[in-house]
């Protein structure tokens, strides 16, 4: 390799690093004391899990307070008291949050359900990106609440799962530039989805909504037939060359807002660094969706085009939607199908609708069950919002 090539590769790697870590980083999580996660039997109901994990969360808050970590304690208490969205048409009522899992140690993990899993037949699982921790959880939850409120307006039998079930990489770190954390996260997300299936009603559909580094996680997760759609947004790439390479039979969607800085990230791979092909490029083969003018942290902003598109993907209505530009005739590369009904991106960012992706065999890496067996503790899972 010539000196010039080495310099170019070094500069490109630097550009990736600078682009991915550009947003404001979250403050480092305090090493506050916390109890081990609650242990429940596989047969435990969602309500039993909520009760056990709420108790665990409140104990973590108490220990943090006693140890002088008052900020962490206050944030945990806020999590515990956060009201879940009421059924559509009903008044909002304060009440304890519903956590399928919680681990207050270190940066923390939490899996919260907004909606009723006992009745929901449309379920969205949000997978966040870097620097999503218990200390930044409120920001993550805001997006989950906005999505659930948007979903229930059209379909009351819907639920959102905010899956902070992995140790997210730090925004300013080398780990955000490789897929190592994503591989560990995929080994958590895959069994979680299997356990979630046991809590769902028959025929329920799951959509994975994967933001920024979370899109790398989803792209490396083998999914079952209950996962019908995967949406990648604000994505730096997935390390896959095309949607057909992902280990899923689900429809794969990709979108990026016009104000999202991630569009300036060089889509390269240098050994283990970088994530390769841009998911919104035509060559990747994902189905494009209209993300409007969303910035990197704005995809789930109430009233936004991107939120409406993601909700449409989750609900999967049988009717066609209007083109992204009202009154314009969509090109073949920027047209929705009657079966999807999702507003698509403009031709400049459009991808040719993909054929169903081939389901690949699991990687063989040992997956740790997310919802605990009787003898095991629960295991859990964004350029703040990256």
């Amino acid at each position: 390799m010539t000196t010039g090539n080495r310099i170019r590769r070094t500069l490109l790697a630097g550009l990736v690093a600078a682009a991915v870590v550009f947003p404001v980083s979250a403050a480092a999580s305090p090493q506050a004391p916390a109890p081990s996660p609650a242990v429940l039997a596989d047969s435990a109901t969602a309500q039993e899990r909520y009760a056990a994990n709420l108790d665990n969360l409140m104990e973590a808050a108490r220990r943090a307070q006693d140890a002088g970590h008052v900020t962490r304690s206050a944030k945990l208490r806020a999590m515990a008291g956060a009201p879940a969205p009421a059924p559509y048409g009903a008044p909002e009522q304060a009440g304890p949050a519903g956590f399928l899992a919680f681990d207050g140690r270190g940066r923390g993990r939490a899996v919260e359900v907004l909606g009723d899993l006992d009745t929901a037949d449309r379920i969205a699982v949000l997978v966040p990106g870097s620097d999503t921790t218990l200390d930044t959880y409120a920001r993550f939850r805001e997006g989950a609440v906005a999505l659930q409120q948007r979903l229930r307006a059209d379909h009351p039998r819907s639920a959102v799962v905010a899956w902070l079930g992995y140790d997210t990489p730090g925004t300013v770190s080398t780990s955000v530039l490789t897929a190592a954390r994503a591989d560990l996260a995929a080994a958590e997300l895959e069994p979680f989805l299997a356990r979630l299936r046991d809590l769902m009603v028959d025929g329920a559909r799951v959509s994975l909504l994967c933001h920024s580094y979370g899109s790398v996680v989803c792209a490396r997760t083998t999914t079952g037939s209950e996962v019908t759609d995967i949406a990648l947004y604000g994505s730096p790439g997935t390390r896959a060359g095309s949607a057909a390479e992902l280990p899923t039979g689900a429809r794969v969607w990709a979108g990026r807002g016009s104000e999202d800085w991630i569009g300036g990230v060089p889509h390269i791979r240098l050994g283990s660094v970088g994530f390769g092909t841009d998911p919104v490029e035509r060559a990747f083969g994902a189905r494009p969706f209209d993300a409007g003018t969303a910035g990197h942290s704005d995809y789930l902003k109430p009233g936004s085009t991107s939120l409406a598109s993601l909700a449409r993907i989750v609900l999967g209505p049988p009717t066609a939607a209007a083109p992204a530009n009202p009154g314009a005739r969509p090109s073949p590369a920027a047209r929705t199908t009657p079966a999807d009904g999702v507003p698509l991106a403009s031709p400049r960012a459009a991808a040719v609708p993909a054929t169903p992706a081939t389901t690949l065999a699991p990687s063989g890496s040992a997956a740790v069950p997310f919802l605990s067996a009787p003898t095991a503790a629960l295991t859990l899972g964004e350029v703040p919002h990256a």
Side-chain angles (χ1 to χ4, degrees), residues 21-261:
V21 305
F22 180 77
V24 177
S25 299
S29 299
Q31 294 301 308
S36 297
V39 178
L40 294 99
D42 280 343
S43 59
T45 65
Q47 294 300 324
E48 289 169 337
R49 296 182 187 281
Y50 297 161
N53 285 299
L54 183 60
D55 287 345
N56 189 275
L57 192 161
M58 291 305 298
E59 175 62 16
R62 185 190 66 76
R63 293 191 187 185
Q65 181 73 34
D66 291 347
H69 295 280
V70 294
T71 300
R72 167 61 73 89
S73 179
K75 290 182 177 181
L76 293 179
R77 293 179 189 279
M79 287 174 63
Y88 181 60
E92 295 284 354
Q93 296 181 353
F99 289 94
L100 284 177
F102 175 80
D103 186 347
R105 299 171 299 181
R107 289 163 64 88
R109 303 185 186 186
V111 180
E112 184 177 5
V113 177
L114 306 176
D116 187 355
L117 286 181
D118 291 335
T119 61
D121 58 13
R122 296 292 184 273
I123 300 171
V125 177
L126 296 181
V127 181
S130 69
D131 265 333
T132 307
T133 69
L134 294 185
D135 294 318
T136 62
Y137 186 79
R139 200 170 48 195
F140 178 42
R141 189 180 191 275
E142 285 175 4
V145 169
L147 176 63
Q148 172 58 359
Q149 290 176 338
R150 181 66 182 79
L151 291 173
R152 75 181 188 190
D154 292 328
H155 190 79
R157 293 180 59 193
S158 60
V160 173
V161 178
W163 189 80
L164 175 54
Y166 76 110
D167 293 327
T168 63
T171 300
V172 183
S173 70
T174 56
S175 59
V176 81
L177 303 178
T178 75
R181 289 287 182 94
D183 287 335
L184 294 174
E188 300 278 5
L189 181 56
E190 181 179 339
F192 167 73
L193 293 172
R195 300 280 182 169
L196 179 63
R197 182 173 58 239
D198 295 337
L199 298 176
M200 301 183 328
V201 299
D202 291 342
R205 294 172 24 176
V206 174
S207 298
L208 294 181
L209 305 188
C210 317
H211 182 226
S212 199
Y213 190 85
S215 67
V216 187
V217 174
C218 292
R220 304 179 81 79
T221 301
T222 301
T223 65
S225 59
E226 73 281 355
V227 177
T228 59
D229 295 89
I230 297 176
L232 313 175
Y233 54 104
S235 175
T238 64
R239 292 191 67 81
S242 70
E245 295 178 18
L246 304 187
T248 183
R251 290 178 290 267
V252 179
W253 302 81
R256 184 167 62 226
S258 62
E259 299 301 314
D260 189 345
W261 56 264

Side-chain angles (χ1 to χ4, degrees), residues 337-354:
T337 64
D340 297 321
V342 179
L344 301 188
S346 59
R348 67 175 179 80
V352 176

